[in-house]
Amino acid sequence: MNTRADIYKHAAKLASSHHVRWRVSEGLTDYRDAVAEMEKEAGLIAAGEAEELIWLVEHPPLYTAGTSADTKDLLTPERFDVFETGRGGQYTYHGPGQRVAYVMLNLKQRTPDVRAFVGALEQWIIATLADFNVVGEPREDRVGVWVKRPELGAGREDKIAAIGIRLRRWVSFHGLAINVEPELEHFSGIVPCGVTDHGVTSLVDLGLPVTMEDVDVALKRNFTEIFTT
C-alpha cells in the first residue's frame, strides 16, 4: 500500500506546462449553478475546447453529501439545503467565509493517478497555510488537512480544509475548501466527513486576521509552484 510520502513523491508528476485559467466569483454563488458550470467546463476541457480552470467561489450556507455519505451523519437536515453530489467523501458544509476552489484539470495531460492528484491537492493546501505560519498536516486515515490544537486538549486536532473531487474522462471537478472565516457553529449540523473525534477550525479562529484576498493570492502562487513546470 502506498504511504502518503509515496503519493507526494508521485504527485510531482501532476505538473504541466499547459495554461490554466483563473476565475474568482464575487458574492455568493448558488450551488446548483456552480455544479452546472463545472460540468460544462469539464466537458469542454475533456473535448480540448477549453483550457484548464481554477474557479474560486463562496456559497450560501449549505450541506453537501458525497458518494460515501451516511444519512446518520446529517444531524439537522432541516437547517440548510442539502445537496447530493457526485464528488467523493461524506457530508461537508459550505458557507460564507470559506474559500472553495473548484479544480478542473485534465489529468490525461498530467498524470492519470487519482491518489497522486489528491496528494497534490493536499500539498497545495499545506503550502498555502504555511504562508500564514499555519502547520497543516494530512492524515493517513482521514482526507483533508488538519491542525494540531494541544491548547484544547491532548491529541486534539481540528480540520481546516476539506477535499472532495470527481473525475469524468480524466478531467477533475469539485475540489477543496479552506476555512478562512466561516461560522464554525454551522458545522455542528453534520458529522464533518464522518469524523467524530476532532473539531473544525479556521484561519481567523486560530487568531490570524487573514482576508479572502490574502488566501487567493497564496492559493495562486502555490498552485503555480506545485502544478506548473
Side-chain angles (χ1 to χ4, degrees), residues 150-205:
E151 73 278 12
L152 300 180
R156 171 70 179 265
E157 296 181 340
D158 286 352
K159 191 170 190 174
I160 195 167
I163 296 172
I165 61 167
R166 185 175 181 180
L167 295 177
R168 182 177 295 162
R169 297 167 62 190
W170 285 108
V171 175
S172 66
F173 54 113
H174 296 282
L176 58 90
I178 298 176
N179 295 333
V180 181
E181 192 179 8
E183 175 51 70
L184 294 179
E185 199 278 329
H186 289 172
F187 284 91
S188 67
I190 56 173
V191 178
C193 300
V195 178
T196 58
D197 299 331
H198 302 284
V200 181
T201 191
S202 68
L203 289 167
V204 171
D205 182 54

